[in-house]
Amino acid sequence: MDARLTVLTAFPPAAGIGNEDYYKESQQHAKRVRELIRDNAQWIRESADDILKHVNPAVYSLSYLMILEYLLESAGWTSQQAHESLASYMAEFFLQFDARQIRCKGSTWSDVLKEAYNERGLFPASVAVEVVTAALLRLDPSGSILTSHHCNLVELAYSTGNVGAILPLIQKPIIYMPAKGMSTAQPLCDMSLPPPAYINPDSQLTDALTSSAVLQYDFLCGLCFIERRMWQQAFDAFERCVTYPTRDGGCSKVMTEAYNKWILVGLLLTGKPPTLPETTSQAAKKIFATQGKPYKLFAQAFKSDTAGDLVREFEVINSELLPNEGNVELAKLVLAHYQRWQIINLRNVYTNISLDKIRERTQSAETGAPLPTVEAVDQLVQSMISDGSLQGAIERPADGSPAYLTFLSAPSQGMSEVEFSSKVNKVAQGIKALEPIIEATNKRLASNREYISHTVKRQVDAAREHKLGLQSAGGGFEESSFHIEEEEDLMSGLPTHTH
């Protein structure tokens, strides 16, 4: 064996080594590999295929990564054939690298990962989305921290029509945002660390994120979910935009666009206008109330018993807003679902109802009139039962009397004991999986100066409100007996932070 190959396969060390020693050895190994590449550049370029076939990326991830980095920068690997080979090696690496080793070389990992999805185009977009999604979930299987790679990838996936491949990533609930100064005194290779302790701008496994990048990520996630007709996920993504905390009471264009889509998706999801969460800022509520008023009126018309009101509101927003905001097809889908929700809501009144009465009591918002025949109602109800939106069955009496719809119990009701036990266990497992995340979050917040500042401010505000309440109620408290210190005194030495 070429002695130079032994350098590349000298790390990782044998099992049982502690985290501190492991990290030190990783840095020493990286230095040796860097020197090897510097002194043997021609050999690396000419023998790259043989070298990378010998160095298993799942075992010798650090060495493999550094070879890839060099080849990406090498002028000798710029031909189309070389690019194809390099893309193949990169895909092999990102699908099986050792995450522990990669934590020790975050900047290199990020640089190489960017080559997988940037405009250089080593991969077709479909492959890039699939490979980078797998790489991010390999780095952080929980998917609980948002990175700059997420933001770039979701834009690529949506713009190129490769939404399916990124779903395993964007369906993960985001709990953390990367921030500088979140590194820990523990070695990054400690596999017990929570994601924000090793995925942050300091480790260079992600770049810092701006507020606009976070908003854009959630907005694009919402669009991806709309494309897949995943209404609950789309609704949640747009709601995160709508409730995003802003400085100085601002409200961005992305937030208002998300609000309009949130209303339309809410109608599709629940059959009624959604209510803004309490966490929505007052400034945003005021802006939504004015700029989003046409959409709100459209949503209110969805509650009408006659389709004409909804059709008229659709014509208003279709002439003024929908085409410019890319909401035409989504609003048309709302029209198509109007009658479906009328049928679903009949279960609040009837246990069963004839198809002929359904035709009389419901209207199509696409035509503004009842369906033309009972057969058309039959087809619509059957399609709703088939896609799971309606829990029911069409009964056809043997005596030839008119067919009717029988509403059935929702799937969540009438569960067997085994099904109920299974559901309880699943919830318990989910709660248990959150325990280390909650513990890590509590530790971070306990030492986070901005959080302490925010907590103190809340306590001061609460005390002021309490004092004012006592005074207005005539509680008889003297001014001197309920003294509240000024906020700046209580927060002495803490940074000022505007939310």
Side-chain angles (χ1 to χ4, degrees):
M1 179 188 296
D2 191 315
R4 290 170 293 192
L5 290 176
T6 61
V7 175
L8 298 174
T9 57
F11 185 86
I17 187 172
N19 287 318
E20 289 188 9
D21 291 335
Y22 185 98
Y23 185 78
K24 288 177 182 177
E25 288 200 24
S26 73
Q27 301 309 298
Q28 293 169 0
H29 177 72
K31 182 179 179 181
R32 288 192 292 268
V33 173
R34 195 178 302 110
E35 292 171 349
L36 175 70
I37 294 173
R38 182 195 64 201
D39 298 338
N40 299 272
Q42 185 175 352
W43 172 68
I44 297 290
R45 289 194 303 271
E46 294 176 355
S47 306
D49 288 320
D50 293 333
I51 294 171
L52 292 177
K53 287 175 183 176
H54 179 79
V55 179
N56 186 341
V59 179
Y60 309 112
S61 301
L62 195 51
S63 296
Y64 201 100
L65 174 64
M66 295 182 71
I67 295 293
L68 287 177
E69 180 189 38
Y70 171 72
L71 293 176
L72 284 166
E73 297 172 350
S74 174
W77 274 68
T78 57
S79 67
Q80 181 63 32
Q81 183 177 359
H83 275 189
E84 291 175 0
S85 296
L86 193 51
S88 175
Y89 291 129
M90 287 172 64
E92 186 178 4
F93 170 78
F94 283 120
L95 293 176
Q96 55 183 316
F97 66 83
D98 176 8
R100 188 184 188 195
Q101 293 182 48
I102 294 315
R103 295 186 187 189
C104 304
K105 198 65 176 169
S107 61
T108 304
W109 185 86
S110 282
D111 288 343
V112 175
L113 186 68
K114 289 174 184 177
E115 292 291 339
Y117 61 74
N118 68 13
E119 64 279 358
R120 183 169 173 175
L122 283 176
F123 293 105
S126 58
V127 177
V129 174
E130 185 174 353
V131 167
V132 177
T133 293
L136 291 172
L137 289 175
R138 193 167 187 82
L139 179 68
D140 171 25
S142 73
S144 60
I145 186 166
L146 184 63
T147 73
S148 53
H149 305 297
H150 285 68
C151 299
N152 293 324
L153 188 63
V154 73
E155 184 174 359
L156 175 66
Y158 181 72
S159 63
T160 60
N162 290 286
V163 169
I166 201 176
L167 289 178
L169 182 68
I170 64 176
Q171 289 186 88
K172 297 282 188 180
I174 298 296
I175 301 173
Y176 303 113
M177 294 292 166
K180 290 183 178 181
M182 295 310 301
S183 295
T184 173
Q186 296 171 263
L188 294 175
C189 56
D190 184 343
M191 298 304 285
S192 68
L193 290 175
Y198 67 91
I199 301 177
N200 51 60
D202 296 327
S203 71
Q204 299 184 62
L205 284 168
T206 177
D207 296 331
L209 295 179
T210 62
S211 296
S212 59
V214 176
L215 275 169
Q216 187 70 8
Y217 172 78
D218 280 327
F219 186 78
L220 288 171
C221 284
L223 295 181
C224 288
F225 291 132
I226 284 177
E227 188 173 301
R228 305 294 287 197
R229 300 293 190 264
M230 299 169 68
W231 303 125
Q232 183 64 64
Q233 292 89 336
F235 184 79
D236 292 343
F238 291 130
E239 189 166 281
R240 289 193 294 273
C241 294
V242 168
T243 58
Y244 193 83
T246 59
R247 292 179 181 272
D248 304 321
C251 182
S252 69
K253 182 181 178 182
V254 173
M255 291 174 67
T256 57
E257 290 182 359
Y259 172 77
N260 296 337
K261 293 181 187 296
W262 174 76
I263 285 181
L264 297 177
V265 172
L267 292 173
L268 293 169
L269 178 65
T270 66
K272 58 185 179 182
T275 302
L276 279 170
E278 291 297 324
T279 51
T280 311
S281 71
Q282 292 301 316
K285 286 181 180 179
K286 290 178 181 179
I287 293 173
F288 296 152
T290 54
Q291 296 189 16
K293 185 176 181 180
Y295 284 88
K296 191 170 183 178
L297 292 174
F298 178 69
Q300 292 298 326
F302 196 88
K303 299 188 298 183
S304 175
D305 293 333
T306 57
D309 294 340
L310 186 64
V311 173
R312 282 190 291 274
E313 292 299 336
F314 171 79
E315 290 172 351
V316 171
I317 60 174
N318 192 36
S319 62
E320 298 176 2
L321 300 172
L322 295 179
N324 296 330
E325 298 177 358
N327 289 332
V328 174
E329 295 305 316
L330 192 58
K332 286 182 177 179
L333 201 57
V334 171
L335 293 181
H337 277 65
Y338 172 78
Q339 187 169 25
R340 295 166 70 95
W341 275 106
Q342 281 191 318
I343 293 172
I344 292 171
N345 290 333
L346 287 173
R347 73 179 307 129
N348 300 326
V349 180
Y350 300 96
T351 302
N352 51 61
I353 180 173
S354 70
L355 299 186
D356 188 53
K357 283 188 177 180
I358 291 177
R359 179 177 175 272
E360 293 175 2
R361 285 165 171 73
T362 66
Q363 296 180 344
S364 167
E366 295 173 292
T367 63
L371 291 177
T373 63
V374 173
E375 287 73 20
V377 174
D378 193 323
Q379 291 178 2
L380 175 59
V381 172
Q382 284 285 14
S383 70
M384 292 172 65
I385 294 172
S386 297
D387 65 25
S389 59
L390 175 64
Q391 304 301 317
I394 295 180
E395 308 287 349
R396 306 183 191 279
D399 61 4
S401 55
Y404 59 90
L405 168 65
T406 296
F407 291 102
L408 303 178
S409 298
S412 58
Q413 299 174 348
M415 286 188 293
S416 68
E417 189 172 333
V418 173
E419 290 171 331
F420 180 77
S421 177
S422 175
K423 190 169 185 178
V424 169
N425 287 334
K426 186 175 181 180
V427 172
Q429 290 171 4
I431 294 172
K432 188 172 183 179
L434 286 174
E435 287 178 358
I437 293 175
I438 294 171
E439 182 180 358
T441 301
N442 287 339
K443 289 180 179 178
R444 288 173 55 222
L445 291 178
S447 60
N448 185 280
R449 294 170 66 83
E450 289 192 356
Y451 177 74
I452 295 171
S453 169
H454 176 67
T455 302
V456 171
K457 183 177 184 299
R458 285 177 57 191
Q459 292 173 346
V460 171
D461 290 343
R464 283 179 176 149
E465 290 176 5
H466 181 63
K467 176 185 177 182
L468 291 173
L470 291 172
Q471 289 176 336
S472 62
F477 279 80
E478 297 294 334
E479 180 69 23
S480 59
S481 68
F482 200 84
H483 179 66
I484 299 185
E485 297 183 47
E486 290 300 319
E487 181 179 332
E488 53 266 29
D489 294 332
L490 285 172
M491 298 169 61
S492 177
L494 298 177
T496 303
H497 182 61
T498 306
H499 293 274

